[in-house]
Amino acid sequence: MSTAGPRPRRATIRDVALEAGVSRGTVSRVLNGEPYVSAQAREAIERAVARVGYVPNSAARNLATRRSQAIGFIVHEPHELFLEDPNIGAILLGANRVLSGSDHQMVSLVIDSERDSRRVARYLSGGFVDGAVVVSARQDDTLLTTIARLSIPATLVGRPPATSRVPWVGIDNKGAARAITEHLVGTGRRRVGMIAAALDRDSGADRLAGFRDALGPAFDRRLVVENQLYEYTAGRTGMIELLEREPEVDGVFAASDAIAAGALDALRAAGRRVPEDVGVVGFDDSSWALRCQPLLTTVHQPARQLGEAAAASVLAQLRGTATDEPAGGLLETHVVVREST
Amino acid sequence: MSTAGPRPRRATIRDVALEAGVSRGTVSRVLNGEPYVSAQAREAIERAVARVGYVPNSAARNLATRRSQAIGFIVHEPHELFLEDPNIGAILLGANRVLSGSDHQMVSLVIDSERDSRRVARYLSGGFVDGAVVVSARQDDTLLTTIARLSIPATLVGRPPATSRVPWVGIDNKGAARAITEHLVGTGRRRVGMIAAALDRDSGADRLAGFRDALGPAFDRRLVVENQLYEYTAGRTGMIELLEREPEVDGVFAASDAIAAGALDALRAAGRRVPEDVGVVGFDDSSWALRCQPLLTTVHQPARQLGEAAAASVLAQLRGTATDEPAGGLLETHVVVREST
DNA sequence: GATCCTTCTGTGAACGGTCACAGAAACCCC
DNA sequence: GGGGTTTCTGTGACCGTTCACAGAAGGATC
């Protein structure tokens, strides 16, 4: 297939008007479902649209309305994780469902470097999107500053820094972490460790805080292994590290299901039985949890609903119907007991 | 949709012209890096751009140039798989790399129902994208018809139906399947089965054909279990089914790594040792392969490069520099021997 | 029958860029 | 100094919509 050639000119609103014997204005009104159009004109226009194969030109509409009908879905994670993490995936699906339901296009943007960050900032300023859902922003994210400066309607998934006034949706990571740690301790574990991750984000920091809370005086800093990311390999190496530091460990709270899966494999390789020798719990209740052997006890997090809520919040801001509480909404979590404890 | 509130008016090309004391035309030329602009004017304009905080308006540019600077990335799979399948993810990353490198925005579109299909068709006709990369189209896909009708530059990942003249990139699924089956047989297996999937697509059908080829007269239809999708659970149930049909089975070709991972878990649950009792091979060399215990022998597929090649092909079509061979390019694959055989 | 709604329609001016064209300025060569 | 390039600049038309405004037609009310 060679030359792009001049694409065949497509039918415009004028062609439709001509064909239907009315004016552009009337056609526009029909297209946008406005009242005050006679049934007769409406019908003629609909027939004309079909006959000339008219499709609205979005660029022209965007220019005239100064809106793009697109919402950015911004993820601040390495590209790989964006695809691997089922949690982010579920949030994305939820957001997409709500957005496409209200005739908005979702545009995914991944930030994985300083360069990406600038590119995305430029993209946001360029009027490509009317609003944005921001996932896993860091506490010190420059993106949040950009958004505030441009006053683009945006909603965060996860708790923003205290100083920020951006709306958000999230879960009570601290409370949930406390709950699942208490469950773990409740199965009679004495030496409980944690494979933590992403401490530069609210989710990571809060999960560690909840863990510490639950253990109280029994908390031992030595039994906490820290990682950058919520990922499988971090679980594997983290577990090996933990076994070295404390061979007697009999309980592990992994900061995510993927980490737990890695930890389970490391434990198996080390000849420990789960749950007999060591109890393991995760966080997320993502597809990893059901892929584990044994099936993972974890915190169910309503990831899809988080995406839906965030998208709905952005749309509400766009319509100007946002309730005026800048604070965020917390969605419910609960502990799901399976076979690993 | 009610009032969105008047966003603060942003600087336009006219403001820049005024500020720099030149005309719109000259500003436009500088912005697009055209020659024939004096150093003096160029400098004044660059300063003015910074001073007024000018950002080009894409809708206006798109309208005038009749281009959108966006390329669709269309995946015809269930939403879940889109996120779970690391193979698709790698293709996506490759495509994105090439596209963002040449200043195009990639827009992902997932088709998961007849309704989605229509929505995407409308999207394509709406001039939202200048071209498209299409992944995992079915053999009878109506999408291909739409693309042909609109004559949108597009490239398929995977071999299209014989009748279609759309450019494509892919791998030799049949040859690769034959090669890995031969490897499996070469380790002394006598009763070799296959967990096949996605037979309605070229990849699935070709992998089965290659398997059949390799076995020759030893091929036994009874030892082929069929599934809809390339997914973990299909591997698990497929393996159980296979063990029921033929308890003596000592070799398994899984149509994807995810399927192989499921098969491995089912084999472990059934008390079979891998590779001692049963040899297992997969396909893709995705992140699943390294997550398996034992590590999976598989076919390495250059997924990322497939994405890059497909994107490059679309861009070439857009520029009109496409070589005039409508046929596709085959990328190399090779067998990676690890621990499971 | 004059007045006032309500319903419906057409028109011109944006929206913010690009592009072709015309013309000015500078340079070169005889 | 006249003619021909080459380099640089400004202008008006256009891309395909929406939107505000003006005005026509018809019905109800006095």
Side-chain angles (χ1 to χ4, degrees), chain A residues 184 189 191-194 242 249-253 277-280:
Chain A
L184 186 59
R189 316 292 168 174
R191 297 293 290 159
V192 178
M194 173 168 180
L242 201 54
V249 67
D250 63 356
V252 179
F253 170 32
D277 303 333
V278 184
V280 177

Side-chain angles (χ1 to χ4, degrees), chain B residues 242-265:
Chain B
L242 200 54
L243 283 171
E244 255 172 38
R245 290 198 202 166
E246 173 57 274
E248 303 285 292
V249 66
D250 62 357
V252 179
F253 170 32
S256 83
D257 289 352
I259 291 178
L264 285 175
D265 284 348

